[in-house]
């Protein structure tokens, strides 16, 4: 079981606001900079406790990437421990391992609320147990004439101004503190998306939630309009060299409510039909960040998984350059391509550079550049084993998904899989 050592709080340039972020956010960042130290120690302690109780679990079946997800505590508490198991690697989805400023804000708030409510719990339970013990029923004291069954009758209090003022004022004070801190966190997390401009190093992505997968359109990069469409796996550049590379997401839904939640990068934000929401993230730690749809959206809600890959700027540029290209034209796959284009796959899927221009289902132009299929459910192996199983019968793998089985014959399946495998 591999567990990441948390970097020292000072090592994370988390509070560095992107160059083009509004003054409001900058002010919030500065404000937080002066205050997070006390929480860091509690965070570290909670992280240890979390690890000790098996916070990260590796238990995956052979074919599925992430079937094991347990929500440890309720969303209402401002977060949750989402435990995802992956094929071979352990994926950390703890909100207490933030790797992005909005996630850090959420973690700080959660720890403070846990500390306050934990203190109240200890005080209330302490008084309760003290009272139970102190005033427990005892054997009747026969020596007393009045037949009292207990030896001590607690003093009866009928109205006490100081006590009443105290137990009215204390909760009000606590609630006011929680409201103020929550408001500050909202302020930090919800920044206005700045206008893209050349040289801003920012990535603008439109995320569309669909039953049950994610469509990503890379709108702008460094002020350059792109409009590249991909699905389920989003690549972002890291900010590990002192240059902030923020990612601004525009969130929409094509059908029902969904919710974008990659716990280590940011809190959840709903994707609402007919409405546009936004969020931002920025990380200086390369790696894979996983998450999942956090709003029940139908049968396969639990299998609407997210993968955000934070690449070095060079790797990211390579990925972006490849995504910008039209689909690979391999003469050896001409028959496969013709077969694909003759089937009704083209009504829903797009392969840029071919006649397949559907936009209802995931864009397949660079299918093999993705690690998984079916929105993170199964691996996308180079041999096409899972791809083949998926095309042959999607309903067995993801029951209720909107891709039907076309009952392709073996030769048809061979050709289609061979063609799709060439789409790097
Ligand atoms: Cu989409 Cu739940």
């Amino acid at each position: 079981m591999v567990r990441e050592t948390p970097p020292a709080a000072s090592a994370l340039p988390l509070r560095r606001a992107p160059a083009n972020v509004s003054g409001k956010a900058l002010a919030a960042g500065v404000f937080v900079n002066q205050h997070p130290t006390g929480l860091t120690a509690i965070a570290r302690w909670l992280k240890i406790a979390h690890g000790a109780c098996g916070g990260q679990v590796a238990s995956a079946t052979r074919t599925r990437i992430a079937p094991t997800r347990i929500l440890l505590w309720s969303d209402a508490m401002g977060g949750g421990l989402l435990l995802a198991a992956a094929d071979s690697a352990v994926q950390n989805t703890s909100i207490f391992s933030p790797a992005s400023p909005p996630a850090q804000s959420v973690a700080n708030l959660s720890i403070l609320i846990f500390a306050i409510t934990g203190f109240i719990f200890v005080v209330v339970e302490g008084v309760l147990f003290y009272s139970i013990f102190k005033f427990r029923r005892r054997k009747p004291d026969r020596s007393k004439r009045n037949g009292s069954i207990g030896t001590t009758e607690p003093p009866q209090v009928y109205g006490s101004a100081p006590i009443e003022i105290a137990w009215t004022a204390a909760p009000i004070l606590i609630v006011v503190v929680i409201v103020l801190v929550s408001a500050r966190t909202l302020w930090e997390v919800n920044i206005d998306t700045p206008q893209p401009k050349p040289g801003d190093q920012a990535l603008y992505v439109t995320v569309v939630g669909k039953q049950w997968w994610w469509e990503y359109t890379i709108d702008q990069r460094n002020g350059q309009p792109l409009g590249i469409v991909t699905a389920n796996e989003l690549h972002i550049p890291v900010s590990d060299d002192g240059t902030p590379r923020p990612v601004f997401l525009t969130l929409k839904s094509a059908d029902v409510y969904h919710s974008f939640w990659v716990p280590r990068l940011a809190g959840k934000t709903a994707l609402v039909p007919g409405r546009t929401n936004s969020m931002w993230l920025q990380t200086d730690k390369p790696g894979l960040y996983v998450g999942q749809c956090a709003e029940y959206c139908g049968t396969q809600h639990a299998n609407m998984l997210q993968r955000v890959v934070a690449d070095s700027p060079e790797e990211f540029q390579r990925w972006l350059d490849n995504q910008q290209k039209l689909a690979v034209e391999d003469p050896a796959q001409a028959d496969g391509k013709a077969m694909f284009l003759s089937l009704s796959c083209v009504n829903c899927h797009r392969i840029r550079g071919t006649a397949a221009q559907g936009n209802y289902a995931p864009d397949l132009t660079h299918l093999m550049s993705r690690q998984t299929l079916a929105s993170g459910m199964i691996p996308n192996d180079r041999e096409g084993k899972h791809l083949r199983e998926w095309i042959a019968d999607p309903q067995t793998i993801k029951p209720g998904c909107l891709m039907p089985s076309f009952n392709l014959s073996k030769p048809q399946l061979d050709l289609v899989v061979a063609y799709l495998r060439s789409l790097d």
Side-chain angles (χ1 to χ4, degrees), residues 64 211-212 296-304 374 377-378 389-390 393-405:
R64 292 195 163 196
Q211 283 177 318
W212 289 275
Y296 182 72
C297 55
T299 313
Q300 287 297 335
H301 152 70
N303 289 316
M304 195 169 161
M377 275 188 81
I378 50 174
E389 287 170 4
W390 173 253
D393 190 5
Q395 296 300 323
T396 301
I397 295 169
K398 198 165 182 172
C401 79
L402 302 183
M403 175 162 155
S405 162

Side-chain angles (χ1 to χ4, degrees), residues 112-113 115-121 123-124 166-182:
L112 181 72
I113 303 282
I116 293 173
T117 50
F119 175 75
I120 294 171
F121 177 81
V123 168
V124 170
W167 73 38
T168 307
I172 290 174
L173 215 78
I174 291 168
V175 169
V176 166
V177 167
I178 291 177
V179 165
L180 290 178
V181 180
S182 302

Side-chain angles (χ1 to χ4, degrees), residues 210 212 214 256-259 293-298 301-302 304:
K210 302 193 177 189
W212 289 275
W214 302 92
V256 298
Y257 270 69
H258 302 273
S259 180
C293 181
E295 177 90 40
Y296 182 72
C297 55
H301 152 70
M304 195 169 161

Side-chain angles (χ1 to χ4, degrees), residues 123-136:
V123 168
V124 170
E125 293 301 301
V127 171
L128 176 68
F129 280 101
Y130 172 81
S131 307
I132 289 173
F133 179 77
K134 170 97 178 168
F135 303 111
R136 69 191 183 279

Side-chain angles (χ1 to χ4, degrees), residues 118-414:
F119 175 75
I120 294 171
F121 177 81
V122 168
V123 168
V124 170
E125 293 301 301
V127 171
L128 176 68
F129 280 101
Y130 172 81
S131 307
I132 289 173
F133 179 77
K134 170 97 178 168
F135 303 111
R136 69 191 183 279
R137 183 174 176 151
R138 297 192 172 90
K139 286 218 175 78
D141 186 351
R142 301 289 175 204
S143 67
K144 289 248 171 90
R145 282 213 174 160
N146 61 12
S148 161
I149 53 162
T151 50
T152 48
E153 174 81 1
Q156 300 299 299
V157 180
Y158 299 98
S160 161
I163 291 178
E164 280 162 25
I165 289 170
W167 73 38
T168 307
I172 290 174
L173 215 78
I174 291 168
V175 169
V176 166
V177 167
I178 291 177
V179 165
L180 290 178
V181 180
S182 302
R184 191 185 76 185
T185 304
L186 283 175
W187 190 280
E188 289 161 14
V189 170
N190 292 325
I191 61 172
D192 296 331
T193 304
Q195 282 301 314
K197 52 174 186 272
D200 60 6
Q201 295 291 331
L203 184 68
Y204 288 77
V205 182
T206 298
V207 183
V208 182
K210 302 193 177 189
Q211 283 177 318
W212 289 275
W213 59 283
W214 302 92
E215 183 182 83
Y216 297 112
T217 306
I218 314 293
D219 298 317
Q220 300 255 353
R221 158 73 174 152
N222 215 4
Q224 185 200 351
L226 294 167
I228 306 161
V229 182
T230 183
N232 298 323
E233 293 183 9
L234 177 63
H235 285 247
I236 61 171
V238 290
S239 320
D240 60 348
D241 54 0
T243 309
R245 295 187 181 85
V247 181
F248 298 100
L249 304 180
T250 302
L251 306 171
K252 297 175 181 180
S253 168
D255 35 49
V256 298
Y257 270 69
H258 302 273
S259 180
F260 191 90
W261 192 34
V262 181
R264 295 188 65 203
L265 295 180
K268 43 183 92 149
T269 307
L271 298 93
V272 182
R275 198 195 138 92
T276 301
N277 280 342
S278 65
M279 63 190 286
W280 76 290
L281 39 100
Q282 175 186 310
T283 185
D284 53 3
K285 288 193 272 185
L288 172 66
Y289 297 91
V290 290
Q292 79 161 98
C293 181
E295 177 90 40
Y296 182 72
C297 55
T299 313
Q300 287 297 335
H301 152 70
N303 289 316
M304 195 169 161
L305 308 177
Q306 295 153 328
R307 295 165 68 83
V308 177
V309 184
D311 292 324
S312 70
E314 300 73 36
E315 282 170 330
F316 175 76
Q317 196 55 49
R318 231 173 291 139
W319 176 82
L320 199 60
D321 291 344
N322 186 50
Q323 297 293 316
Q324 279 180 272
K325 292 178 190 154
L326 297 179
V328 174
E329 278 292 340
D330 182 355
Q333 303 303 336
D335 289 349
K337 182 180 170 187
M339 175 58 69
F340 181 87
L341 295 177
S342 73
L343 296 167
S344 38
C345 312
V346 298
N347 293 337
C348 295
H349 291 283
R350 183 193 301 109
I351 298 181
R352 278 178 283 134
T354 75
Q357 290 296 325
N359 62 1
Y360 185 68
D363 187 297
L364 303 177
T365 311
H366 298 284
L367 175 68
M368 296 314 286
S369 70
R370 310 204 276 261
Q371 301 291 310
T372 62
L373 298 169
S375 199
M377 275 188 81
I378 50 174
N380 187 19
D381 56 289
R382 300 300 302 180
E383 294 69 41
K385 180 177 163 288
H386 290 94
L387 180 61
R388 192 187 173 84
E389 287 170 4
W390 173 253
I391 297 168
D393 190 5
Q395 296 300 323
T396 301
I397 295 169
K398 198 165 182 172
C401 79
L402 302 183
M403 175 162 155
S405 162
F406 289 99
N407 296 313
L408 301 184
S409 66
K410 188 178 175 300
Q412 285 178 315
L413 198 54
D414 288 342

